[in-house]
């Protein structure tokens, strides 16, 4: 079973709820501090990281970027810009494993990522 950690700075319980909904029971989901979540991802204890903050990239992904590098992370929603479905799918296809976004975009972004991860696992 793949493991997802929730980090970032805001809306962790809502992110967990959406991951449970769209993950359809196929993922083990844990809510952690952003540093613990990023460390789990780096060590291989987790497969994916989801985080939210008010900018979509700062507090949502700062620790993941610091520990993994920018090539494994994707800011998919920020004030005034939300990634398209095609951009989100491309992020998954490109091997991104840490995703950051703003809270107003999280339902759309999480549902799109999870659908793409499900398709990838088949």
């Amino acid at each position: 079973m793949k493991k997802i950690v929730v980090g970032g700075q805001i809306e962790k319980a809502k992110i967990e709820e959406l991951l449970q909904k769209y993950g359809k029971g196929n993922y083990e989901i844990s809510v952690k501090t952003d540093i613990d979540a990023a460390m789990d991802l780096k060590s291989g204890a987790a497969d994916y990281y989801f985080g939210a903050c008010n900018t979509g990239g700062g507090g949502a992904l700062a620790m993941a970027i610091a520990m993994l590098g920018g090539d494994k992370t994707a800011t998919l929603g920020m004030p005034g810009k939300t990634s398209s479905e095609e951009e989100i799918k491309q992020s998954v296809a490109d091997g991104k494993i840490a995703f950051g976004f703003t809270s107003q975009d999280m339902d759309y972004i999480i549902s799109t990522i999870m659908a793409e991860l499900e398709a990838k696992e088949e």
Side-chain angles (χ1 to χ4, degrees):
M1 178 175 283
K2 296 285 186 177
K3 296 180 181 179
I4 295 174
V5 288
V6 178
Q9 299 301 309
I10 61 173
E11 300 285 355
K12 291 180 183 184
K14 181 65 175 173
I15 293 169
E16 179 184 25
E17 179 184 315
L18 291 170
L19 288 168
Q20 294 287 359
K21 175 182 175 182
Y22 294 115
K24 303 173 187 167
N26 296 325
Y27 298 85
E28 182 180 314
I29 301 162
S30 302
V31 176
K32 302 193 172 221
T33 65
D34 58 340
I35 192 164
D36 287 337
M39 286 173 47
D40 278 2
L41 198 57
K42 183 173 177 77
S43 73
D47 301 292
Y48 302 102
Y49 171 108
F50 287 72
C53 72
N54 291 322
T55 64
L61 282 175
M63 292 309 302
I65 292 169
M67 292 188 179
L68 302 170
D71 62 323
K72 293 290 184 188
T73 67
T75 300
L76 300 174
M78 61 184 68
K81 183 183 184 315
T82 303
S83 295
S84 68
E85 183 177 347
E86 294 76 28
E87 290 169 322
I88 294 170
K89 287 179 176 183
Q90 190 62 53
S91 291
V92 174
D94 289 345
K96 308 291 185 185
I97 56 174
F99 308 100
F101 40 84
T102 56
S103 60
Q104 70 260 20
D105 299 321
M106 67 182 161
D107 192 280
Y108 160 71
I109 289 171
I110 291 171
S111 67
T112 305
I113 293 169
M114 296 307 288
E116 194 63 17
L117 291 178
E118 287 291 304
K120 180 180 173 182
E121 297 296 323
E122 291 177 354

